């Protein structure tokens, strides 16, 4: 029987009001009826947890996404007649509907009519969707940048060659952000691993509806008011990505597959000969013996350890794929199967037999990653790879993908053993575990690598995941296509992944399926150079897409953008540090730091920022040669390539004509942008000074971060972190170097400073002495050099 629960009305219908009052708790409120119990808890002043029990008993208080110590947090609240207040929020149950406002009474979020609907174990929640609200998040789902007007399903799916509107695809991240409302941005995370669904005004234009077929009714409401505050608090809740190795920010070359060690060596030699800076070479499944995980084809790869060592001497890291399906080869000397079977490590059919299904190695079995002892066993299988010097692990096919079945995955009644974290030990169906299976696979890999090399940063890439999976792995958007449409889609997917906690993400540059035209591949290199994870990858039996394939003219453009990424490495690494500490994405929507952009009129569906300070503006119709408008938010912007001012404090719309060798990039006025001399890999120490480009403007600052790039020593203080600021004083432009944090010594011995937008030369002083400077009246650039500057200030009159 379907029951609509507008909770206050249900109270009146079910029991006398006096018998079921609103019960105040030190950290929130509770409302009980015969049919359901609602509990609202203030975890922090800006974050609420809402749980609804079917009857009086709540579902188990356990989570794969939110750690027990986070769920146990709470703050004291001030009770009110119809709810409670925190230091920043007013929470009311008005007419049976949950209403959340800021302290000024501005609406943040409110239930719609009929806010909760139960149908057996299935449930639907309904929230108001104001007319000016935009919706973002849900990970790398297709359908454009803004989720408003669309509906989605969370069910991790092997989606080879997905279209720009296919859903579901690889990940299930049931978190969305509502942006542009009266009370600012807010986020909602539905912590339910089942096949949940979201409707953002698709069926009813003014209603957000979400629900699932079973599982806990347990969600978190995260207030801003800024989008950045919501994302930071979401990563406080579900965890932040660990600091990446520096080399993972470099260019990465891959293909399905490089068929032999000799071919890998040829690719490495060509990259160095063509002077394309590169840090990583990837090996897909054909390096293995008959596609069996944790094996090597010793005919085509006769000395993996020697290959990795040779690559290392040339400045390359090697990453190999390890899918989660284990070949079913009992008593045939295949240790992953035999050792796993010995500890009952694999998932089972309902009748108790081990589940066997076809994947790349043929008949395969599947580890029970929701069992902690199985994760420990799995992590230990990487010992040989670590000993061989393999730098990271690539976990693919972990939706989990199954061949020869229309569902592309396991039957829903497959039995998984839960023995992990604060869950009560029990058996669970695949219907419950499916969406977290890939995340727990990467957790097992990540934790195994950390145990095997405890002072090295573990690098894992995954295709499938769930909310919180950023704690264990970077990700990519899966088997995309070599089309202009998918080039644009990739940026939209990466923006929404970043807003959903996955700051380290990428898309296969070139497109995995099909084959790109020379112009498409070149444009993809240009835009990919600003992805958090920059990897060129393509499918078997498709045209080659290495940087040189279309001749010297295209190679020169592609190389120039790769080189620019390496010059920007100090800026990128500072963003990585910021992400690890604070949670801000590396690649962001323009409105993340510049909210006025939402009110500007031009098409911004392909624009994005790298951090706060660089705005990248490709043509929104990427295949078209037609002119297009670029919106520059208020505050002032400089052209990155020329260094000249492009706009002043007011918002401005400019026109651009697409050109294959140019990608419009702008720098925020108020930026201090660190750059370095060009290197061929991050293993190479830059030769020359650190460069600081100063673009005067409001809130003028920049950040330096440096460590050894690979170890965990930064946790012991072996890092350098320094903020640099600039301000206009009566004496002139003052540049302040804050006191350095950490004990790490930088590679540079000199800093070269360039001030943009100067109308005349000026006297430069610092440390009580004049500093020689050079002024270019054509470019309006003032340049001077400093000895390495631990702290203090410099004044430009």
């Amino acid at each position: 029987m379907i029951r609509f629960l507008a909770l206050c009305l249900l109270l009146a219908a079910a029991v006398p009001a006096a018998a079921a009052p609103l019960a105040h708790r030190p950290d929130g409120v509770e409302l009980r009826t015969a049919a359901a119990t609602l509990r609202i808890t203030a975890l922090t002043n800006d974050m609420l947890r809402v749980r609804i029990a079917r009857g009086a008993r709540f579902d188990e208080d356990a989570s794969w996404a939110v750690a027990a110590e986070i769920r146990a947090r709470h703050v004291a609240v001030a009770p009110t007649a119809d709810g409670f207040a925190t230091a920043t929020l007013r929470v009311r149950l008005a007419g049976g509907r949950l209403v959340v406002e800021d302290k000024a009474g501005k609406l943040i979020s409110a239930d719609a009519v009929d806010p909760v609907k139960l149908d057996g174990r299935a449930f639907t929640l309904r929230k108001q969707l104001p007319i000016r609200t935009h919706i973002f998040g849900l990970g790398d789902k297709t359908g454009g940048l803004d989720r408003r007007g669309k509906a989605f399903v969370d069910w991790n799916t092997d989606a080879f060659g997905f279209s720009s509107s296919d859903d579901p695809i690889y990940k299930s991240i049931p978190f969305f952000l509502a942006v542009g409302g009266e009370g600012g941005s807010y986020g909602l995370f539905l912590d339910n691993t089942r096949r949940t669904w979201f409707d953002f005004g698709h069926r009813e234009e003014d209603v957000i509806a979400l629900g699932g077929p079973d599982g806990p009714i347990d969600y978190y409401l995260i207030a801003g008011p800024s989008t950045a505050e919501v994302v930071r608090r979401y990563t406080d809740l579900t965890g932040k990505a660990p600091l990446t190795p520096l080399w993972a920010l470099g260019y990465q070359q891959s293909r399905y597959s490089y068929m032999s060690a000799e071919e890998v060596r040829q690719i490495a030699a060509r990259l160095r000969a063509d002077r394309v800076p590169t840090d990583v070479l990837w090996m897909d499944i054909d390096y293995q013996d008959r596609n069996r995980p944790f094996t090597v084809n010793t005919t085509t790869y006769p000395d993996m350890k020697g290959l990795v060592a040779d690559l290392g001497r040339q400045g390359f890291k090697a990453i190999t794929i390890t899918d989660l399906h284990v070949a079913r080869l009992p008593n045939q000397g295949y240790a992953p199967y035999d050792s796993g079977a010995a500890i009952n490590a694999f998932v089972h059919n309902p009748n108790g037999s081990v589940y066997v299904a076809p994947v790349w190695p043929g008949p395969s079995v599947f580890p029970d990653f929701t069992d902690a002892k199985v994760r420990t066993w799995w992590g230990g299988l990487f010992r040989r790879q670590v000993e061989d010097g393999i730098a990271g692990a690539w976990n693919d096919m972990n939706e989990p993908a199954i061949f020869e079945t229309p569902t592309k995955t396991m039957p829903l009644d497959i039995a998984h053993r839960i023995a992990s974290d604060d869950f009560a030990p029990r058996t669970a169906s695949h219907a419950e575990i499916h969406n977290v299976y890939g995340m727990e696979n990467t957790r097992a890999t990540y934790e195994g690598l950390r145990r095997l090399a405890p002072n090295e940063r573990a690098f894992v890439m995954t295709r499938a995941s769930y909310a919180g999976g950023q704690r264990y792995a970077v990700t990519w958007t899966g088997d995309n296509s070599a089309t202009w449409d998918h080039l644009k889609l990739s940026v939209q997917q990466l923006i929404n992944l970043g807003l959903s906690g996955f700051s380290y993400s990428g898309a296969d540059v070139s497109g995995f399926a099909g084959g790109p035209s020379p112009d498409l591949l070149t444009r993809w290199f240009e835009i990919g150079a600003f992805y958090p994870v920059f990897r060129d990858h393509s499918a078997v039996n498709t045209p080659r897409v290495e940087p040189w394939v279309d001749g010297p003219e295209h190679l020169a453009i592609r190389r120039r953008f790769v080189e620019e990424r390496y010059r920007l490495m100090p800026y990128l690494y500072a963003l990585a540090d910021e992400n690890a500490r604070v949670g801000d994405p590396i690649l962001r929507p323009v409105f993340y730091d510049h909210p006025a952009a939402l009110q500007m009129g031009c098409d911004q569906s392909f624009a994005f920022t790298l951090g706060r300070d660089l705005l990248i503006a490709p043509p929104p119709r990427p295949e078209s040669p037609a002119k297009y408008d670029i919106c520059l938010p208020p505050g002032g912007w400089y052209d990155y390539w020329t260094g000249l001012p492009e706009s002043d404090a007011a918002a401005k719309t400019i026109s651009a004509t697409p050109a294959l060798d140019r990608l419009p990039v702008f720098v925020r006025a108020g930026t201090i942008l660190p750059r370095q001399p060009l290197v061929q890999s991050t293993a190479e120490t830059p030769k020359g000074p650190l460069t600081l480009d100063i673009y005067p403007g409001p809130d003028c600052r920049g950040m330096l971060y440096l460590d050894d790039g690979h170890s965990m020593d930064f946790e012991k203080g072996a890092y350098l972190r320094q903020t640099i600021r600039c301000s206009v004083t009566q004496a002139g432009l003052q540049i302040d170097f804050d006191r350095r944090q950490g004990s790490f010594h930088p590679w540079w011995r000199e800093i070269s400073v360039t001030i943009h937008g100067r109308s005349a030369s000026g006297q430069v002083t610092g440390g009580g002495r004049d500093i020689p400077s050079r002024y270019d009246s054509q470019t309006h650039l003032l340049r001077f050099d400093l000895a390495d500057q631990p702290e203090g200030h410099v004044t430009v009159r």
Side-chain angles (χ1 to χ4, degrees), residues 530 568 571 574-575 578 585-590 592-594 608-616 632-633 636-640 665-674 693 695 698-703 724:
F530 297 95
L568 283 168
Y571 179 67
L575 292 177
E578 179 184 55
I586 293 173
L587 187 151
R588 308 171 185 175
V590 178
Y592 189 89
D593 298 289
H594 312 282
F608 61 97
T609 65
L610 191 68
R612 181 184 67 155
D613 297 329
L614 295 183
L615 192 160
I616 296 89
L632 298 176
W637 296 86
Y638 290 76
D639 186 300
Y640 176 81
V665 179
F666 303 92
V667 187
R668 182 189 68 88
T671 294
I672 300 178
L673 185 67
D693 281 272
Y695 303 84
D699 190 21
C700 183
R701 55 189 165 92
M703 178 69 73
I724 307 166

Side-chain angles (χ1 to χ4, degrees), residues 401-684:
I402 304 293
F403 293 168
E404 300 176 16
T405 173
T407 68
K408 302 182 181 181
T409 195
M410 297 179 185
L412 298 184
D413 58 358
I414 291 300
H416 299 256
R417 179 66 178 167
I418 295 179
S420 182
D421 304 294
D422 56 341
F423 286 90
R426 60 183 173 88
T427 297
S429 71
H430 190 67
E432 176 182 352
I433 300 303
H434 176 87
N435 282 339
V436 295
Y437 190 76
M439 179 174 80
E440 294 304 295
N441 166 220
T442 63
R443 179 183 181 181
T445 302
Y446 177 83
E447 292 174 347
L449 294 178
R450 292 286 292 114
R451 283 191 300 270
L452 291 167
N455 199 42
E456 291 295 315
R457 297 174 216 174
F459 181 88
V460 181
M461 177 180 267
T462 185
R463 192 168 72 177
S465 201
Y466 179 73
Q470 67 270 8
R471 295 170 293 187
Y472 313 120
V474 311
T475 192
W476 91 108
T477 61
D479 296 342
N480 62 349
S481 295
T483 66
W484 291 100
D485 181 46
H486 269 237
L487 170 59
K488 180 175 179 177
L489 175 64
S490 72
V491 168
Q492 297 169 340
Q493 290 179 294
L494 300 191
I495 286 174
N496 279 304
L497 276 166
L499 294 175
S500 306
F502 280 84
S503 186
Y504 296 111
S505 58
D508 287 344
V509 168
S510 82
F512 182 73
S517 68
D519 286 4
L520 173 57
L521 182 57
T522 293
R523 183 66 87 191
W524 214 318
F525 261 87
E526 294 173 3
I527 293 169
F530 297 95
Y531 287 173
V533 177
F534 182 21
R535 185 182 73 149
D536 178 29
H537 183 59
S538 57
V540 66
N541 298 324
T542 63
R544 301 301 287 252
V545 292
E546 287 81 11
W548 53 81
V549 295
D550 297 306
E553 182 178 348
H554 284 281
L555 171 61
I557 300 171
R558 297 164 191 172
R559 179 173 51 217
R560 178 161 60 86
F561 278 84
V562 177
E563 289 174 342
E564 205 60 41
R565 181 183 181 92
Y566 275 78
R567 292 189 178 98
L568 283 168
M569 199 59 70
Y571 179 67
L572 278 168
Y573 206 34
L575 292 177
D577 170 62
E578 179 184 55
N579 173 254
R581 293 183 295 109
V582 180
D584 286 330
I586 293 173
L587 187 151
R588 308 171 185 175
V590 178
F591 66 79
Y592 189 89
D593 298 289
H594 312 282
L598 275 178
Q599 279 69 55
M600 299 185 72
C602 57
D603 184 350
Q604 300 178 70
S605 59
F606 202 6
F608 61 97
T609 65
L610 191 68
R612 181 184 67 155
D613 297 329
L614 295 183
L615 192 160
I616 296 89
R621 291 179 294 164
E623 74 284 7
S624 171
K627 286 185 176 181
Y628 66 101
D629 289 339
I630 298 172
C631 283
L632 298 176
W637 296 86
Y638 290 76
D639 186 300
Y640 176 81
W641 305 109
T642 67
L644 297 175
E646 189 65 62
S647 70
D648 53 21
K652 184 178 180 181
T653 299
I654 64 173
S655 179
T657 300
L660 185 61
D661 63 347
R662 177 174 167 80
L663 176 66
V665 179
F666 303 92
V667 187
R668 182 189 68 88
T671 294
I672 300 178
L673 185 67
R675 305 201 316 154
Q676 69 179 33
L678 181 63
V679 294
Q680 289 302 299
S681 87
T682 60
E684 180 183 339

Side-chain angles (χ1 to χ4, degrees), residues 156-232:
N156 294 356
T157 301
D158 178 6
F160 172 82
F162 59 90
S163 76
S164 58
S165 59
D166 280 354
D167 183 69
I169 56 172
Y170 301 99
K171 298 170 192 68
S172 296
I173 306 175
F175 168 73
F176 69 84
L177 297 99
V179 177
E182 177 189 5
S185 299
Y186 75 87
L188 191 151
F189 168 43
L190 176 64
D191 194 4
N192 183 309
T193 65
R194 305 273 182 157
R195 190 184 180 107
T196 54
W197 57 269
F198 296 80
D199 184 306
F200 301 111
H202 180 66
R203 289 178 295 179
E204 299 175 80
E205 65 179 359
D206 59 351
V207 172
I208 297 171
L210 56 149
D214 201 342
I217 309 173
D218 186 356
Y219 70 89
Y220 298 83
L221 193 71
I222 306 168
S226 72
T227 300
E229 288 167 304
V230 174
V231 173
R232 292 165 190 161

Side-chain angles (χ1 to χ4, degrees), residues 360-383:
W360 291 118
S364 301
V365 294
F366 302 83
D368 216 343
F369 292 115
T370 51
D371 186 334
K373 80 173 188 302
V374 174
R375 292 200 301 271
T376 300
W377 160 78
W378 172 266
L381 296 176
F382 287 87
R383 180 175 298 279

